[in-house]
């Protein structure tokens, strides 16, 4: 890789532009979904140093923990439960500025204060989610949503 993500400077938008290009080029060269989830979670962390970044995959009707970066997390999340299960059920990104205000939020870590969960889809159906947690309130906004949805669309 030519660019080193951890020394990228600039606005959030600029960081996402570089990150997105990196993800596109990574995924052009690799078709294995788990391998790509592992590297994409690492690349997001190298760029933004969030509290937790990772994937859950729909396996036998439940979200099962996939590749991630950060502290250990709950392994299984039911349909409609927590922020992840809601993103799955509603087939829609969940932007949560304060997790304490989200009914049914699943606290994998008490340090997590805000969260964004973006569905991954195949033929319109949710096949998994990209979940990012922050230890600060209101970390995520429409810029994160726009770019993370573009990244999720690559899976
Ligand atoms: N908080 C999530 C659970 C997953 S962890 O944050 C990694 C939720 O409510 O679905």
């Amino acid at each position: 890789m030519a660019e080193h993500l951890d020394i990228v400077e600039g606005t959030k938008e600029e960081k996402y532009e570089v990150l997105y290009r990196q993800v596109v080029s990574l995924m052009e060269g690799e078709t294995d979904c788990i391998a790509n989830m592992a590297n994409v979670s690492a690349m997001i962390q190298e760029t933004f140093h969030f509290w937790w970044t990772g994937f859950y995959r729909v396996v036998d009707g439940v979200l099962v923990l996939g590749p991630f970066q950060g502290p250990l997390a709950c392994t299984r999340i039911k349909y409609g439960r927590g922020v992840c299960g809601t993103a799955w059920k509603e087939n829609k990104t969940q932007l949560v500025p304060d997790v304490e205000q989200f009914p049914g939020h699943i606290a994998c870590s008490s340090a997590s204060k805000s969260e964004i969960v973006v569905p991954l889809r195949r033929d319109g159906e949710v096949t998994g989610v990209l979940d990012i947690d922050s230890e600060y309130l209101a970390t995520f906004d429409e810029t994160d949503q726009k770019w993370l949805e573009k990244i999720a669309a690559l899976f």
Side-chain angles (χ1 to χ4, degrees):
M1 276 191 200
E3 289 160 288
H4 297 278
L5 291 171
D6 56 351
I7 58 163
V8 170
E9 290 174 11
T11 64
K12 182 156 75 172
E13 181 78 22
E14 288 164 346
K15 289 183 182 184
Y16 270 116
E17 279 170 20
V18 174
L19 172 65
Y20 183 72
R21 283 203 304 275
Q22 296 274 357
V23 173
V24 167
S25 106
L26 173 91
M27 290 179 67
E28 274 168 5
E30 177 56 65
T31 55
D32 186 90
C33 173
I34 300 283
N36 286 334
M37 287 176 170
N39 269 336
V40 169
S41 54
M43 291 157 92
I44 292 172
Q45 285 304 79
E46 289 287 303
T47 305
F48 292 110
H49 308 285
F50 294 127
W51 177 256
W52 193 95
T53 295
F55 291 87
Y56 284 87
R57 294 179 307 136
V58 176
V59 180
D60 296 333
V62 65
L63 282 171
V64 180
L65 183 63
F68 70 95
Q69 299 269 315
L72 86 170
C74 26
T75 54
R76 284 168 189 268
I77 298 174
K78 289 183 183 151
Y79 185 74
R81 299 290 298 276
V83 186
C84 292
T86 301
W88 178 15
K89 184 175 179 183
E90 294 186 2
N91 197 337
K92 189 167 166 278
T93 295
Q94 305 295 306
L95 198 52
V96 185
D98 179 356
V99 294
E100 304 235 328
Q101 305 302 317
F102 190 98
H105 166 255
I106 301 164
C108 291
S109 161
S110 59
S112 175
K113 300 270 191 299
S114 59
E115 181 163 1
I116 185 167
V117 179
V118 179
L120 312 183
R121 301 181 181 93
R122 192 186 302 126
D123 302 328
E125 264 194 39
V126 177
T127 55
V129 298
L130 167 59
D131 177 15
I132 306 182
D133 288 30
S134 167
E135 70 272 48
Y136 306 107
L137 288 167
T139 293
F140 308 103
D141 59 19
E142 287 70 24
T143 300
D144 300 276
Q145 177 170 355
K146 176 184 77 177
W147 286 100
L148 295 171
E149 286 178 352
K150 275 167 75 80
I151 289 171
L154 297 169
F155 279 86

